[in-house]
């Protein structure tokens, strides 16, 4: 059986959209995953300030959360987002990577509940937070 | 007393299309995702042109939830900005022949955005329309619906709140 680090790495690297956004797995904790997305000019949403688009931050949150689900110790075989709510606290500083940490804080047989936070270099003030529900597919 | 003679249709269309193109073209992330906007009068429909990079589940395959979320958020922001720009163009307050910096509005900022994923996104084009449910001086609430083959079978919907830009003068 592959360990969760392998699953997480594959989940990041084999998914085209995660690759297109340059996402990279940083580390795995128990029930939590940390993923980095480097700053890139193609991700700019506000041309006046160079701030990354909220949609790119959403993608990072969604991907990190999904990885937290499939690396959960109960070993689901797949997942899909049911719903995801993002709160944008402040604009991410242009030029800095965004790092998301997603935690699967409750898991049933069929549904995973996650929360996530996204930071830039200023680790004291979050850029965005998210909560969501994900499907859980079991090998059964 | 007769109303003034309307302008030729081509002139009106050109002006509206130039404004919409300018609004959309300057956001790099919209270009990266491959989103385009069609206009019928003031009504906008966004198209997310399918590309392999948008896949989030290669096994099915299905669109990435993050690509879907971004598509909906882009649609909401452009709709909001277009609504205020439209009013300014029609009233004559804005002249699109002038340099863009003089008349292009600053974009609204997302406060929160909630996406419902109703069914998996198929590997083909997707469409979306946004409805502004409330638009105040500072805050706006927008609902967005997205579909693929069948207009009445949504694959995702979203609601978001936005902080409106302060006016160009103030």
């Amino acid at each position: 059986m592959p360990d969760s680090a392998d699953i997480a790495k594959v989940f990041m690297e084999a998914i085209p959209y995660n690759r297109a956004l340059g996402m990279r797995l940083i580390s795995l904790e128990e029930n939590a995953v940390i993923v980095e997305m480097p700053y890139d000019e193609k991700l700019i949403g506000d041309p006046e300030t160079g701030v990354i688009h909220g949609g790119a931050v959403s993608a990072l949150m969604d991907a990190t959360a999904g990885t937290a689900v499939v690396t959960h110790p109960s070993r689901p075989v797949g997942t899909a987002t049911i719903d995801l709510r993002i709160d944008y606290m402040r604009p991410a500083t242009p030029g800095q990577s965004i790092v998301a940490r997603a935690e699967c804080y409750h898991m049933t047989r069929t549904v995973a509940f996650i929360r996530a936070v996204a930071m830039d270099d200023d680790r004291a003030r979050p850029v965005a937070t998210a909560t969501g529900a994900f499907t859980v597919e079991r090998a059964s | 007393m007769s109303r003034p003679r309307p302008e030729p249709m081509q002139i009106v269309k050109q002006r509206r299309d130039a404004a919409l193109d300018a609004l959309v073209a300057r956001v790099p992330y919209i270009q990266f995702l491959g989103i385009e906007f069609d206009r019928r009068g003031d009504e906008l429909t966004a198209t997310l042109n399918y590309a392999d990079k948008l896949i989030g589940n290669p096994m099915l395959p299905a669109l990435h939830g993050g690509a879907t979320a971004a598509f909906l958020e882009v649609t909401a922001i452009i709709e909001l900005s277009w609504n205020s720009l439209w009013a300014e163009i029609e009233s004559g307050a804005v002249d699109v022949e002038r340099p863009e910096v003089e008349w292009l509005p600053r974009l609204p900022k997302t406060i929160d955005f909630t996406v419902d994923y109703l069914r998996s996104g198929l590997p083909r084009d997707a469409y979306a329309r946004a409805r502004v449910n409330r638009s105040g001086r500072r805050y706006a609430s927008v609902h967005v619906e997205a579909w693929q083959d069948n207009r009445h079978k949504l694959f995702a919907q979203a609601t978001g709140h936005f902080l409106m830009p302060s006016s160009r003068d103030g």
Side-chain angles (χ1 to χ4, degrees), chain A:
Chain A
M1 192 170 192
D3 70 9
S4 12
D6 292 337
I7 298 171
K9 205 158 179 306
V10 167
F11 214 67
M12 273 299 131
E13 290 171 4
I15 292 179
Y17 195 63
N18 295 349
R19 291 179 55 150
L21 267 59
M23 292 181 204
R24 200 164 62 88
L25 178 72
I26 298 294
S27 67
L28 275 174
E29 301 166 4
E30 199 178 350
N31 299 342
V33 173
I34 297 173
V35 174
E36 178 183 54
M37 181 174 72
Y39 183 80
D40 192 314
E41 285 179 359
K42 71 187 179 208
L43 305 181
I44 290 173
D46 184 350
E48 259 118 39
T49 57
V51 169
I52 282 189
H53 197 282
V57 179
S58 297
L60 175 65
M61 295 291 217
D62 186 87
T64 309
T67 308
V69 176
V70 293
T71 54
H72 188 269
S74 70
R75 281 306 155 77
V77 295
T79 187
T81 320
I82 298 171
D83 109 323
L84 190 68
R85 174 195 164 111
I86 317 259
D87 291 304
Y88 296 96
M89 270 80 193
R90 67 175 175 92
T93 306
Q96 297 182 0
S97 287
I98 301 181
V99 174
R101 181 183 187 279
E103 172 195 7
C104 185
Y105 68 91
H106 186 72
M107 175 77 105
T108 72
R109 231 194 107 62
T110 48
V111 183
F113 298 89
I114 64 94
R115 50 185 163 230
V117 58
M119 301 279 196
D120 58 16
D121 290 356
D122 180 354
R123 298 296 155 97
R125 297 185 309 135
V127 165
T129 60
T131 54
F134 284 68
T135 66
V136 175
E137 283 145 46
R138 301 287 181 188
S140 68

Side-chain angles (χ1 to χ4, degrees), chain B residues 79-108:
Chain B
E79 178 73 32
L80 259 180
S81 207
W82 173 246
N83 276 358
S84 46
L85 187 55
W86 171 271
E88 290 184 319
I89 295 167
E90 297 307 299
S91 71
V94 146
D95 178 3
V96 302
E97 303 283 317
R98 305 282 306 164
E100 288 176 10
V101 287
E102 291 181 22
W103 57 269
L104 265 183
R106 297 211 50 179
L107 295 171

Side-chain angles (χ1 to χ4, degrees), chain B residues 6-89:
Chain B
E7 288 178 291
M9 183 186 78
Q10 276 318 317
I11 303 281
V12 177
K13 262 195 164 168
Q14 251 173 38
R15 182 168 56 225
R16 292 171 178 173
D17 288 339
L20 179 58
D21 288 349
L23 187 63
V24 171
R26 70 178 171 149
V27 182
Y29 195 58
I30 297 182
Q31 312 311 316
F32 169 72
L33 282 170
I35 300 172
E36 292 174 330
F37 286 83
D38 284 331
R39 185 187 64 78
R40 300 282 178 279
D42 68 345
E43 182 198 64
L44 300 184
T45 306
T47 301
L48 176 66
N49 289 296
Y50 176 74
D52 289 341
K53 72 175 177 198
L54 301 177
I55 289 296
N57 182 335
M59 303 299 283
L60 288 175
L63 294 181
H64 196 289
T68 301
F71 176 46
L72 293 165
E73 192 176 328
V74 162
T75 306
I77 289 172
I78 293 298
E79 178 73 32
L80 259 180
S81 207
W82 173 246
N83 276 358
S84 46
L85 187 55
W86 171 271
E88 290 184 319
I89 295 167

